[in-house]
Amino acid sequence: MFSLISALLCAAVGLLLWTGVGYVLARRLALGHGLALPVAPALGWAVQNAVALALGQLIGFSPVATIGAAVLLCSVLLVKRHSLDEPSASTDAVPWWLFAMAAVVAMAPALAVLPKQVAEGVILAPAIFDHSKIALIDEIVRGGVPPVNPFFGPTGQSADVAYYYLWHFGAAQLAGLTGATGWEADAAASWFTAFSTLALMAGLARYLSGSRLAPAIALALCCTGSLRPVLEAIVGGTALEALLKPASGFAGWLFQSSWSPHHVAAAGCLVTATLLVTRLTRNPNLLSTVILALVMSAGFQSSIWVGGVVMALVAAALVPLMLSSIPLPAWPRFVGAGVAAGLLALAIASPLLVAQYHAALLRAAGSPVAVVPYAVLGPLAEAALGGAGNMAAYWLVLLVVEFPLVYIAGTLTLARMATEREEDDVRRIDVHALLTVVAVSLASSWLLVSTVGDNNDLGWRAVLPALLVLTAAAAAGIARWVEQRTRLVASLAVAAFAASVPAGAIIIAGNARGELSPSAEAFAKAPAMWAAVRRHTPEDARVANNPGLFADMTPWPVNISWALLGDRRSCFAGNELAIAFAPLSPERRAEISGRFLRTFAGGGSPDDVRALAETYGCGTVLLTALDGAWANDPFAANRFYRLAEAQAGAWRVYVAVPSSDDDAPPNSAGQSAE
């Protein structure tokens, strides 16, 4: 089902591949100040994936493209060796053991992807719901890039993927190099994303403070969460819901790394790009321009919300700041390099841009982004304070509740640093640029809402760049308070940390323990069932199964066994996945979802079966004993499907009958298994 050894091998390959490439480039770009190694994982991941994706589209997805991209990027060492940045002094570097600590902490979100074997069967963590995109990783390994849509692809229609899939492409590279499954590669990529952003925050904390204590504090802060559990214990859950909206995906690093690592990776790209921009003001050369473009494109191709919307707003806000930091005669070179980087990033990301534009037209959903203040207050507080109170509550209540120590200590530290006299000009500009990232990121989450799906993904994810910066700044500030023995402030910081630990512990425990469901025993047997499906389904064919199968194993019903174990395309993977991946209007999506659910529930008509075969291109059908249609099998006596294999009392695999075989006796194969 899932091999931990394979997942660990993938993680090791990713660590070597991406960190190695990133360190070479960080040295060449003269990041200095001990930032080269902390930035290396995020930088290497971004540029190698962006280049490998372009190569994969030219020569095909293969280990040749993966390794070729790394070799191409490392070849910068062959040019002007003398311009390499000098290794950072030991007093500026992050100690090696902190990277080891980061590797351990990164396991917390990765645990969310692993299956849990218990006496009752196999259980999953709630966050696996958002990892159902593993099917996209398997699709890239099977068919290359650009990938065919594995979630929906009706006969005679285009089946492009209009989703920001670079993160999944990176996981597919790991699977392609090691032979791992998409599930195992997803777990490894989740770990690496967590590790890369932890290293980035630890490095920034060291850079901003000069303290050896700050990186360790940054890692500790990443294990915390919201104040909600403590507040519920004090005032009660009902009273808290009257004052505040319920918890959502607007959450800290630990939660978001567990659920949506591709958005976290995009936030790492944005912060890394900001550091590259400040150095571009000092040396706007060709290499810096190209690498900046690759990092920006990687951010967009991993998250349209973080790497697209927020990245664009941050770039616009940084321009006047950067121009004010350099003399007027240097403006043309910097502006030229910046414009070139932006245009190159757009060119690299253009295939996904075009695909998403076409998908938006087909959905007929209007603008994907709207300006609506974030809803914070519960009914009682909203009735008392009104709209203005709700807008202020974002800054005064929600951010304090969700990120207590990170938000308060980080903001105070950055603000103080921005007003201090700083002899190091580059560091001064870095502080102002990072403060700009925080302001734009938080304001975007406050005022902008995504309208594409059922959730406000833009509002939830836009906060991530600010969280990375504020965590590093908070760690820097706390380290300084401790070293200066500012007892009162340090005591308040410890109290806030203690109050936010329970939420972090709940998330980690949930990732490690999972949630037992009635389907645990049946899910443990699902690998054999899906292996049978693969035996009868060519790699370019599509499978139909009940979109609600094992629905009780995830917080919301999703076709989870197909996504994790199927390794074949689906003709309709269910409503939850269709929201993001099927270019359908809500009405059309509901109609198709209703047809598939009805058919597998036992209420389907002959026309429904015909539609599965002819309209939706379902070359294989999987029916299980858990489906309502098991006792009244609509596929058992029709001219569109024949039985290929079955296990008594468990499952039946049907394959489509070719048109030339329409007159063949139905169910002429596999009956002995029943």
Side-chain angles (χ1 to χ4, degrees), residues 31 49 121 201 222 232 274 312 351 394 413 415 428 436 455 503 529 569 651:
L31 283 171
N49 274 287
M201 287 183 280
C222 289
E232 287 177 358
T274 302
Y394 173 85
T413 301
R428 178 180 60 83
T436 301
N455 298 319
M529 174 180 74
R569 298 169 188 165
W651 45 262

Side-chain angles (χ1 to χ4, degrees), residues 134-179:
I134 284 168
L136 188 54
I137 300 172
D138 285 324
E139 175 61 37
I140 293 173
V141 175
R142 288 195 313 270
V145 290
V148 174
N149 192 331
F151 305 96
F152 180 69
T155 302
Q157 294 185 27
S158 172
D160 296 330
V161 174
Y163 193 79
Y164 27 91
Y165 60 78
L166 185 74
W167 188 90
H168 304 88
F169 171 80
Q173 287 192 95
L174 300 182
L177 289 173
T178 63

Side-chain angles (χ1 to χ4, degrees), residues 67-78:
I67 302 301
V71 171
L72 179 63
L73 290 164
C74 289
S75 66
V76 300
L77 278 176
L78 302 177

